[in-house]
């Protein structure tokens, strides 16, 4: 089969030739060329387009998608350079049930992952990928996670038959020639292959959102490869994000002594100008982006954004834990993002944004639930159907998204893409818990903090398929994202702690903004007021205030939380910090049940933490 390496023609053939898409002729890329040829021979695209990451190329791709009906150009008067994509109604979230870890041994995937036998899975993938790109363009996208050439950065290449994925990767990562130079210089690169699984017969009309009912999101941890088939949505298609920067990177981190985490990253600056770096792990759609863009309600405090979803953490020679955000953009959940909840995000989205599955206004702008308090009188919903407030269904899909460059965030830190990252002072673990879990609990030491991280549970949200509201264990908010056995991952966390200087390691806290009172009302105002919790944490790490011991960890004294200007009552505070030994012993039983799934592989240090927790609760 002949494959045109250049699109649509070589320069010599005529004036219509673009300056992008051509195969780069760089010494040292033989392995990359051979791999691209191999994937093209398997998937049989009509043409191969090498993505150079240029503005001209991006503009042309977007224009092409608009012409094909795959994107709607928004009214530039309201939203310059911005587009709306509507997915197929069956392809709206990460498909965890179809996400596999194909490690040589099942035990290395562990009980929380779907394991697939690698040789069998390769055979299956060869079957579904055969001819899967027929009639389409195969794009080759070299990308870097972290600044190109940075000491904590890693590179990869994604081949994909989705122009939407190319445009999204262009926002979420650093794409282009610099990465090819790194490959040519011999740096290891991760291979990622993506097809929407919708080949076109000659002359067949394409659809708005090609995808396939059969889906595979497969990771090969031994060879550091990702193969994704059948979905064009988010983490299923932007393979640099969850597949590479979390699942594959967690494996690289295990082997190299660092951590790939589902964490936001911020710099908090106190009224005296002192800066503290905080990383926080929350399950999907639990307010990470809101906390990443916090505007504190306490006077004099400021927050600078460094990242909203992923952080790579590496012990430095100075005994501190250094962190980078490996991404270059935000792929945020739109519903619930509004003037009153996250004005920074709203300002970030002024233009140059790709929206997916939000509603369209008659004036050519977008809308989603929570953007404004009052919905517009009429809209076109995410499925393209007419909508009014009386329709009785959401106008935007609950997992609708925006994709926007981090640099557009008005409170982005000036050094957000510094290659060496920032030294961490604080790590937060959180979840969405209506009961039991206090507003904030301080871990007594690193191992206790790892225990807290390993026991996180949260009510399900719309970010993945499943029943919204159901409680599920989500240790370290990494349940769907850890590329190896989570018991080993807990052990790895303990080992990383041992590489840190005890007085320089970040302090660990568990937080819960979502506790409800006996009357069903949220007890804590959340959002900008979460800075009040961070203020207490910072005073703790500076040794300015004592804390109160409880069976589950250290709690604030009520008088140490700055509540000026809130309407949180003493009764609310009592409920926010109540620790009921009986329900906590039940939580301990659930932890034991969860740990038992790992067949004796849970680190002894964590079993000891569980036993001590029970001991303290029984005596409370
Ligand atoms: C995300 C997720 O998209 O966690 O960030 O689902
Ligand atoms: Mn996430």
């Amino acid at each position: 089969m002949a494959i045109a390496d250049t699109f649509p023609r070589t320069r010599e053939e005529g004036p219509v030739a673009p300056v992008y898409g051509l195969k780069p002729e760089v010494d040292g890329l033989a392995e990359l060329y051979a791999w691209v040829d191999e994937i093209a021979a398997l998937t049989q695209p009509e043409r191969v387009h090498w993505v150079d990451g240029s503005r001209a190329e991006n503009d042309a791709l977007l224009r092409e998608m608009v012409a094909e009906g795959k994107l709607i150009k928004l009214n530039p008067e309201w939203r310059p350079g911005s587009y709306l994509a509507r997915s197929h109604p069956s392809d709206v979230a990460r498909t965890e049930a179809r996400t596999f870890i194909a490690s040589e041994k099942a035990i290395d995937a562990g009980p929380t992952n779907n394991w697939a036998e690698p040789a069998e899975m390769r055979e299956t993938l060869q079957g579904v990928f055969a001819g899967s790109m027929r009639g389409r363009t195969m794009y080759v996208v070299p990308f870097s996670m972290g600044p190109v050439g940075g000491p904590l950065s890693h590179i990869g290449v994604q081949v994909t038959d989705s122009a939407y994925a190319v445009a999204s990767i262009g926002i979420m990562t650093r794409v282009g020639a610099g990465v090819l130079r790194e490959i040519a210089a011999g740096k290891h690169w991760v291979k990622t292959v993506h097809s929407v699984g919708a080949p076109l017969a000659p002359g067949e009309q394409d659809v708005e959102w090609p995808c396939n009912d059969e889906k595979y999101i497969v990771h090969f941890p031994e060879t550091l490869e990702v193969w994704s088939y059948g979905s064009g949505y988010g983490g299923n298609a932007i393979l640099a994000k969850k597949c590479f920067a979390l699942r594959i990177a967690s494996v690289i981190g295990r082997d190299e002594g660092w951590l790939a985490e589902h964490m936001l990253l911020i710099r908090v600056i106190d009224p005296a100008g002192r800066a503290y770096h905080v990383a926080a792990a929350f399950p999907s759609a639990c307010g990470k982006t809101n906390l990443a863009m916090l505007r504190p309600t306490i006077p004099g405090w400021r927050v600078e954004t460094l990242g909203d979803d992923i952080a790579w953490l590496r012990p430095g020679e100075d005994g501190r834990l250094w962190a980078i955000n490996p991404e270059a953009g935000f792929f945020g959940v739109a519903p619930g993002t509004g003037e009153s909840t996250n004005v920074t995000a709203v300002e970030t989205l002024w233009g140059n944004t790709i929206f997916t599955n939000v509603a369209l206004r008659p004036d050519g702008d977008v809308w989603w639930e929570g953007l404004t308090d009052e919905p517009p009188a009429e809209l076109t919903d995410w499925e393209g159907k007419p909508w009014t407030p009386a329709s009785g269904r959401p106008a935007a899909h609950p997992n609708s998204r925006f994709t926007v460059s981090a640099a557009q965030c008005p409170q982005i830190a000036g050094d957000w893409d510094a290659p060496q990252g920032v030294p961490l002072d604080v790590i937060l673990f959180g979840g969405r818990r209506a009961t039991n879990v206090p507003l904030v609990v301080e871990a007594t030491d690193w191992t206790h903090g790892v225990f807290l991280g390993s026991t996180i549970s949260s009510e399900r949200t719309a970010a993945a398929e499943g029943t919204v509201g159901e409680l599920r264990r989500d240790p370290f908010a990494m349940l769907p994202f850890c590329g190896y056995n989570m018991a080993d991952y807990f052990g790895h966390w303990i080992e990383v702690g041992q590489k840190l200087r005890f007085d320089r390691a970040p302090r660990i806290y568990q937080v819960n903004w979502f506790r409800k009172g006996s009357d069903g009302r949220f007890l804590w105002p959340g959002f900008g007021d979460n800075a009040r919790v961070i203020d207490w944490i910072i005073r703790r790490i500076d040794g300015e205030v004592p804390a109160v011991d409880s069976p589950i960890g250290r709690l604030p004294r009520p008088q140490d939380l700055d509540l000026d200007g809130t309407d949180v009552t003493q009764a609310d505070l009592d409920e926010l910090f109540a620790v009921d030994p009986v329900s906590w012993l039940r939580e301990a039983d659930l932890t034991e049940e969860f740990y038992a799934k790992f067949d004796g592989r849970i680190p002894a240090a964590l079993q000891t933490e569980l036993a001590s927790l029970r001991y303290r609760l029984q005596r409370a």
Side-chain angles (χ1 to χ4, degrees):
M1 193 214 42
I3 292 160
D5 257 340
T6 55
F7 167 66
R9 305 177 191 190
T10 58
R11 269 173 224 231
E12 297 74 44
E13 278 174 318
V16 294
V19 291
Y20 53 84
L22 307 178
K23 178 173 172 175
E25 299 295 344
V26 179
D27 285 344
L29 295 186
E31 188 198 341
L32 173 60
Y33 294 152
W35 177 70
V36 168
D37 284 348
E38 189 192 312
I39 305 298
L42 172 66
T43 58
Q44 300 171 20
E46 196 168 300
R47 59 188 83 84
V48 176
H49 174 132
W50 290 76
V51 172
D52 66 14
S54 66
R55 177 72 194 258
E57 175 186 62
N58 184 57
D59 289 351
L61 277 179
L62 293 167
R63 266 199 309 276
E64 200 172 282
M65 281 188 276
V66 171
E68 291 173 347
K70 291 182 176 151
L71 287 182
I72 295 168
K73 188 170 168 53
L74 299 176
N75 185 341
E77 210 175 307
W78 312 122
R79 216 54 84 162
S82 300
Y83 299 84
L84 168 64
R86 291 190 188 126
S87 80
H88 190 275
S90 67
D91 194 22
V92 291
R94 288 184 290 98
T95 43
E96 292 178 8
R98 303 299 303 160
T99 299
F100 300 91
I101 303 295
S103 47
E104 294 294 337
K105 295 192 207 122
I107 189 73
D108 289 331
T112 58
N113 280 312
N114 302 312
W115 178 70
E117 200 285 316
E120 263 171 44
M121 181 49 93
R122 279 196 194 276
E123 214 176 301
T124 305
L125 292 174
Q126 288 287 315
V128 295
F129 274 89
S132 72
M133 296 190 189
R134 260 189 224 134
R136 298 192 180 278
T137 300
M138 178 173 111
Y139 301 92
V140 182
V141 196
F143 62 85
S144 178
M145 298 309 283
V148 179
L152 307 185
S153 303
H154 284 264
I155 56 172
V157 179
Q158 177 166 340
V159 295
T160 176
D161 54 6
S162 161
Y164 167 86
V166 176
S168 306
I169 301 164
I171 295 172
M172 297 303 298
T173 77
R174 286 97 169 158
V175 170
V179 182
L180 292 179
R181 280 194 291 276
E182 292 246 290
I183 295 177
K187 180 157 177 161
H188 179 267
W189 52 282
V190 170
K191 300 179 169 99
T192 71
V193 185
H194 172 240
S195 172
V196 293
L200 288 169
E204 185 183 337
Q205 181 64 34
D206 202 359
V207 292
E208 247 182 73
W209 184 275
C211 62
N212 195 305
D213 285 345
E214 195 177 3
K215 293 179 176 41
Y216 291 94
I217 322 292
V218 187
H219 308 74
F220 293 94
E222 277 89 9
T223 51
L224 306 179
E225 279 169 83
V226 181
W227 289 69
S228 169
Y229 176 87
S231 169
Y233 207 85
N236 295 341
I238 308 167
L239 303 186
K241 192 172 177 60
K242 303 299 186 179
C243 299
F244 177 175
L246 288 176
R247 298 194 192 96
I248 293 290
S250 64
V251 172
I252 302 175
R254 175 196 62 191
D255 297 343
E256 294 183 353
W258 53 277
L259 296 160
E261 296 301 321
H262 192 202
M263 289 179 173
L264 66 89
L265 192 58
I266 51 177
R267 173 178 297 136
V268 181
I269 302 165
D270 76 4
R274 286 174 302 194
Y276 301 84
H277 295 107
V278 179
F282 292 83
S284 308
C286 284
K288 274 212 307 300
T289 304
N290 291 344
L291 185 56
M293 299 178 184
L294 188 78
R295 292 210 184 168
T297 49
I298 12 179
W301 288 76
R302 277 192 307 123
V303 165
E304 293 179 351
T305 307
L306 290 150
D308 83 326
D309 193 42
I310 298 178
W312 287 352
L313 320 180
R314 191 188 278 269
E317 278 167 15
D318 57 356
R320 302 191 74 176
L321 190 59
W322 288 76
I324 62 164
N325 161 24
E327 302 193 279
F330 307 125
F331 178 64
V333 176
T337 306
E339 296 288 344
S340 56
T341 55
N342 190 343
V343 66
T344 299
V346 172
E347 288 173 3
T348 305
L349 303 175
W350 63 266
N352 305 324
T353 304
I354 300 178
F355 296 93
T356 307
N357 287 348
V358 299
L360 183 64
R361 294 167 51 111
D363 63 1
D365 197 6
V366 283
W367 190 83
W368 52 80
E369 278 70 21
L371 176 60
T372 53
D373 291 341
E374 286 298 311
E378 47 172 333
L379 290 167
T380 305
D381 75 5
W382 69 277
E383 292 190 88
K385 298 186 193 134
W387 184 95
T388 70
S391 297
R393 59 177 198 279
H397 187 277
N399 191 36
S400 54
R401 299 283 182 145
F402 51 80
T403 312
V404 68
S405 166
Q408 250 179 236
C409 173
Q411 67 190 72
I412 197 84
D415 57 347
W416 73 277
D417 62 352
Q420 75 282 4
V422 296
L424 280 187
D425 299 291
V426 176
I427 292 176
L428 307 181
F429 295 122
R432 190 180 277 274
R433 290 294 308 264
T435 58
N436 272 4
V437 180
L439 177 63
V440 55
V441 181
E442 181 181 272
T444 47
D445 59 17
W446 182 269
T447 308
H448 183 230
V450 174
F451 174 72
L452 293 182
S454 79
T455 58
I456 294 292
S457 56
S458 189
E459 291 148 24
R460 271 183 190 274
T461 67
E465 292 176 333
T467 312
V468 171
E470 202 176 76
L471 200 66
R472 78 161 176 178
R473 289 267 151 187
D474 194 351
F476 294 81
M478 281 288 279
L479 183 79
F481 305 124
C482 184
Y484 62 102
N485 190 314
M486 277 204 114
D488 299 349
Y489 164 84
F490 301 158
H492 183 54
W493 258 89
I494 293 174
E495 274 171 34
V496 167
Q498 285 159 355
K499 289 192 201 141
L500 303 173
R501 255 183 58 169
F502 81 96
D503 57 340
R504 292 193 170 176
R507 298 271 285 272
I508 302 179
Y509 294 79
Q510 178 173 15
V511 295
N512 176 27
W513 320 134
F514 302 96
R515 193 160 184 178
K516 289 186 178 164
S518 38
D519 53 1
R521 174 180 60 89
F522 283 114
L523 291 165
W524 181 245
F527 303 107
D529 287 319
N530 293 336
R532 297 170 190 277
V533 173
I534 296 177
D535 160 49
W536 176 74
I537 290 173
I538 285 174
R539 281 186 287 134
R540 279 294 297 156
I541 63 178
D542 282 344
E544 287 173 15
V545 284
V548 184
D549 277 324
S550 91
I552 62 170
R554 297 188 187 124
L555 305 176
R557 295 184 309 177
Q559 67 268 36
D560 290 332
L561 267 185
D562 178 350
L563 297 176
D564 268 4
T566 70
D567 48 19
V568 177
T569 63
Q570 184 58 47
D572 292 343
L573 270 189
D574 291 346
E575 278 195 274
L576 269 170
F577 288 103
V579 177
D580 171 31
V582 175
S583 32
W584 268 96
L585 280 165
R586 176 79 194 119
E587 294 262 348
D589 291 345
L590 294 175
T591 297
E592 181 178 336
E593 255 170 52
F594 177 64
Y595 278 4
K597 290 189 181 163
F598 294 89
D599 278 340
R601 224 171 153 103
I602 293 288
L606 297 188
Q607 296 287 12
T608 307
E609 287 292 337
L610 177 59
S612 328
L613 170 67
R614 278 193 167 126
Y615 177 85
R616 294 191 301 265
L617 287 166
Q618 277 152 358
R619 272 149 195 81

